[in-house]
Amino acid sequence: RGGTVPEPAATPVPAPDGPAAAIPWPGSADHVAAPVRLMIPAIGVRTALIRLGLTPAGTLQVPTGTTVAGWYDRSPRPGATGAAIIAGHIDSLAGPAVFFHLASLRPGDRAYVRRADGTLAAFRVIAVHTYLKSRFPTTTVYGPAAGPQLRLITCGGTFDPAIGSYLSNVVVYAVAAP
C-alpha cells in the first residue's frame, strides 16, 4: 500500500438482459433462487458471487479473493423480503478490487443480481453512507427491512497502515426496482 493506487476508469457495463423476476410477496423467500452474479453498470462491476458466513468471532466473512463479491447466506436472498447483504473488497496490495468504485454510486443507479434459476433481481440505489467501523449501525444495515432490499458493503475512508485496515465501511442501500 505504500503509494497511491491509480484509479482505473470505470468501464460502463450495459444493463443485463433476461427474464425479470416478479417482486415476491412476504413469506415467499423459499421460492427465491440463490444469487450467483452481481452487475452494477454505473461502476463497471460484473462479478460472480460466492457464499459468505460468519467468522469464528461472529463477524461477517469477507471474500478470500479481491475479484469477486460474496452474498451473506444468513441474509435474505436478493429479491426476497428483507435486506440481502453483498460484501466485497475495495483494494489490496495488488491494486483496486471489485468494489473499488462503490462509494461513487448515486441515488438512482441500478444493481442487478442474477440468480441460479436465470432470473434477474433489479435494485435502485437510494443512499450511500460511510460509517466509522467503531460506530457501524449494525441494526440499520443488517436488521429487518420492508420489502426486498440490497446492501452492498466494502471498506472505505482512511486507511490506517499501523493496523493494516480501513477505518470505515461504505454501505450502499438499494430497493427493489420494477
Side-chain angles (χ1 to χ4, degrees), residues 10-14 16 37-49 67-69 86 89 97-102 105 110-112 152:
T11 305
V13 176
R37 294 196 62 74
L38 171 69
M39 288 103 11
I40 311 172
I43 58 173
V45 168
R46 185 178 290 268
T47 180
L49 290 173
T67 60
V68 297
I86 295 178
H89 291 284
V98 67
F99 279 174
F100 190 75
H101 291 289
L102 195 68
L105 286 173
R110 300 290 176 124
Y112 302 92
L152 304 170

Side-chain angles (χ1 to χ4, degrees), residues 33-169:
V36 294
R37 294 196 62 74
L38 171 69
M39 288 103 11
I40 311 172
I43 58 173
V45 168
R46 185 178 290 268
T47 180
L49 290 173
I50 62 171
R51 284 182 169 225
L52 301 174
L54 293 175
T55 66
T59 60
L60 177 65
Q61 284 180 323
V62 295
T64 54
T66 60
T67 60
V68 297
W71 164 65
Y72 175 46
D73 65 7
R74 294 185 184 184
S75 72
R77 291 177 175 190
T81 298
I85 307 295
I86 295 178
H89 291 284
I90 187 170
D91 65 9
S92 72
L93 293 173
V98 67
F99 279 174
F100 190 75
H101 291 289
L102 195 68
S104 67
L105 286 173
R106 297 291 171 249
D109 287 340
R110 300 290 176 124
Y112 302 92
V113 178
R114 176 79 61 200
R115 297 184 294 217
D117 64 359
T119 59
L120 192 67
F123 296 90
R124 179 179 48 84
V125 173
I126 58 168
V128 179
H129 293 289
T130 300
Y131 303 107
L132 286 172
K133 289 182 180 181
S134 61
R135 295 189 189 158
F136 190 82
T138 303
T139 302
T140 301
V141 175
Y142 295 101
Q149 297 190 21
L150 182 66
R151 308 280 191 265
L152 304 170
I153 304 172
T154 194
C155 290
T158 303
F159 181 79
D160 184 342
I163 61 172
S165 181
Y166 284 89
L167 300 178
S168 299
N169 284 111

